[in-house]
Amino acid sequence: MKVTVLGAGNGAHALAGDLSLRGHEVTLWENPAFEQGLEYLRANDNRFRLTGVIDDTARIARVTTDAALAMRDAEIVYCVMPSYAQESAFDHIAPFAREGQSFLIMPGNFGSVSLYMRLKKRGIADGVLVGESDTIPYATRLQPDKSCLVFGLKPSMWISAIPAKNTEALIASLKPAFPIELMPLPDVLSVALANTNMILHCPTMIMNAGRIEFCDRFRFYNDGMTPSVCRVMEAMDRERLAVGEAWGCKLIPEFDDAIANYSLDRSKYKNLYEIFSNHPVYGNHGPDSPTAMNYRYLSEDVPFLLVPVSEMGRAAGVPTPTIDSIAQLAEVANDTPYRQMGRGLAAMGMAGLSVGEARKIIIG
């Protein structure tokens, strides 16, 4: 199939390389503002090495910053980039989207809503399939030599389309050119709200600020998630669940999610602290804490996860005091207006809509 991958970071390289090795014709597009990310590929005939669970040299059909070229023949378009880069990418590619294409935003963090509403304004939303996932298929990092180390490949991930009635059609369209199983969730809000990075990352950053800025690196999960940090996480998670319920989403508590994700023996754990203080997967990483407060655990998770949850809560009359407190402290700590720049309801194209009106668009 003809596939376009938007982005040139860790996950985008892994996906583009893997799909190329599986025989698909892949175009890798990068925002012109970050064109330097394509220099290595262009200098090496679009070839790069994948190592780890994928061990081969891939050649991508084309790399470009030309959105018209990237979109022209694409049957499937995968957006694999941080949330803060998505809106600019949508500005570039939306004018060239055409009926019959399938779009998947990975991870979405409500990005599918933003893209869908843009295409709706163009009058072509009914002719395309748009959705998002809660994560990306790979655990991966680009190495200093520009090879792509793939630590692991997930067995499956969650996905939904907007409107939700298109989810099965979206999964069917992606299946021939996707490396893992795609599992449906009821709607894209459920997918975005299932991303609990906001629960794990944000309070751990804020409550370990002094340690991050002035001490040696520590194990972010095992050492940073102390009993008090985990109690704040649990309060934030209760607020996330309440917002989800008000918007018609049946979400899984973070405790249950952590147990399931790593096949842990539930009988051995009573709370998040008991899970993360001794978690073998994270402990094997060694000291892995961020070294600055402007790390993506705040710069991405606050504006693109906490902010929309807070605004959704306000729209539904559900208070989110702990989430709001962490967002406020993150803004002050980094002197950055995350709530102003984040993906609130206005940025999603849903300003002024009631919960019922917004749900009608989401569900279809």
Side-chain angles (χ1 to χ4, degrees), residues 250-300:
K250 295 181 180 180
L251 305 175
I252 299 172
E254 169 54 24
F255 178 84
D256 295 336
D257 191 49
I259 292 290
N261 280 344
Y262 298 98
S263 301
L264 301 178
D265 181 351
R266 188 185 186 92
S267 66
K268 296 181 179 179
Y269 305 94
K270 296 192 297 290
N271 51 45
L272 292 182
Y273 173 67
E274 293 187 359
I275 291 175
F276 291 113
S277 62
N278 295 297
H279 203 296
V281 172
Y282 296 110
N284 290 339
H285 292 176
D288 59 356
S289 61
T291 56
M293 290 297 289
N294 60 0
Y295 191 64
R296 62 183 175 85
Y297 287 174
L298 289 181
S299 65
E300 183 169 358

Side-chain angles (χ1 to χ4, degrees), residues 98-169:
R98 55 178 174 76
E99 293 188 356
Q101 291 179 319
S102 297
F103 296 81
L104 182 64
I105 320 301
M106 298 186 288
N109 297 344
F110 305 94
S112 64
V113 182
S114 178
L115 177 59
Y116 178 79
M117 296 301 283
R118 290 168 189 255
L119 299 180
K120 193 175 181 66
K121 287 182 179 179
R122 282 194 54 208
I124 67 167
D126 291 341
V128 299
L129 296 171
V130 180
E132 68 177 65
S133 67
D134 64 327
T135 185
I136 65 174
Y138 312 91
T140 181
R141 288 289 184 275
L142 287 174
Q143 301 301 293
D145 65 358
K146 303 302 181 182
S147 65
C148 184
L149 173 58
V150 181
F151 300 99
L153 185 64
K154 299 178 177 72
S156 64
M157 64 187 200
W158 298 109
I159 181 178
S160 185
I162 176 172
K165 64 182 182 181
N166 290 340
T167 297
E168 291 301 330

Side-chain angles (χ1 to χ4, degrees), residues 83-265:
S83 297
Y84 61 76
Q86 290 175 3
E87 301 296 338
S88 178
F90 298 160
D91 287 340
H92 282 280
I93 63 102
F96 305 104
R98 55 178 174 76
E99 293 188 356
Q101 291 179 319
S102 297
F103 296 81
L104 182 64
I105 320 301
M106 298 186 288
N109 297 344
F110 305 94
S112 64
V113 182
S114 178
L115 177 59
Y116 178 79
M117 296 301 283
R118 290 168 189 255
L119 299 180
K120 193 175 181 66
K121 287 182 179 179
R122 282 194 54 208
I124 67 167
D126 291 341
V128 299
L129 296 171
V130 180
E132 68 177 65
S133 67
D134 64 327
T135 185
I136 65 174
Y138 312 91
T140 181
R141 288 289 184 275
L142 287 174
Q143 301 301 293
D145 65 358
K146 303 302 181 182
S147 65
C148 184
L149 173 58
V150 181
F151 300 99
L153 185 64
K154 299 178 177 72
S156 64
M157 64 187 200
W158 298 109
I159 181 178
S160 185
I162 176 172
K165 64 182 182 181
N166 290 340
T167 297
E168 291 301 330
L170 177 62
I171 291 175
S173 73
L174 302 177
K175 188 174 181 179
F178 204 73
I180 64 175
E181 185 177 5
L182 294 169
M183 305 289 289
L185 279 179
D187 54 64
V188 293
L189 296 184
S190 297
V191 175
L193 291 170
N195 185 343
T196 56
N197 283 343
M198 58 180 145
I199 304 301
L200 301 180
H201 294 163
C202 299
T204 308
M205 288 286 292
I206 293 297
M207 297 177 73
N208 284 277
R211 196 174 187 182
I212 289 169
E213 292 184 314
F214 289 113
C215 298
D216 292 336
R217 296 186 75 184
F218 56 94
R219 298 178 304 171
F220 188 72
Y221 285 77
N222 298 85
D223 301 328
M225 296 182 181
T226 64
S228 59
V229 171
C230 288
R231 285 194 292 273
V232 172
M233 286 182 192
E234 288 160 351
M236 293 174 67
D237 199 46
R238 288 191 292 272
E239 294 172 9
R240 177 185 70 94
L241 295 173
V243 170
E245 183 177 3
W247 280 75
C249 303
K250 295 181 180 180
L251 305 175
I252 299 172
E254 169 54 24
F255 178 84
D256 295 336
D257 191 49
I259 292 290
N261 280 344
Y262 298 98
S263 301
L264 301 178
D265 181 351

Side-chain angles (χ1 to χ4, degrees), residues 282-336:
Y282 296 110
N284 290 339
H285 292 176
D288 59 356
S289 61
T291 56
M293 290 297 289
N294 60 0
Y295 191 64
R296 62 183 175 85
Y297 287 174
L298 289 181
S299 65
E300 183 169 358
D301 293 351
V302 173
F304 297 101
L305 287 171
L306 291 188
V307 167
V309 172
S310 175
E311 290 202 9
M312 290 170 64
R314 191 176 306 116
V318 176
T320 55
T322 318
I323 285 174
D324 294 342
S325 297
I326 294 296
Q328 169 69 15
L329 290 171
E331 284 194 346
V332 175
N334 284 332
D335 192 22
T336 304

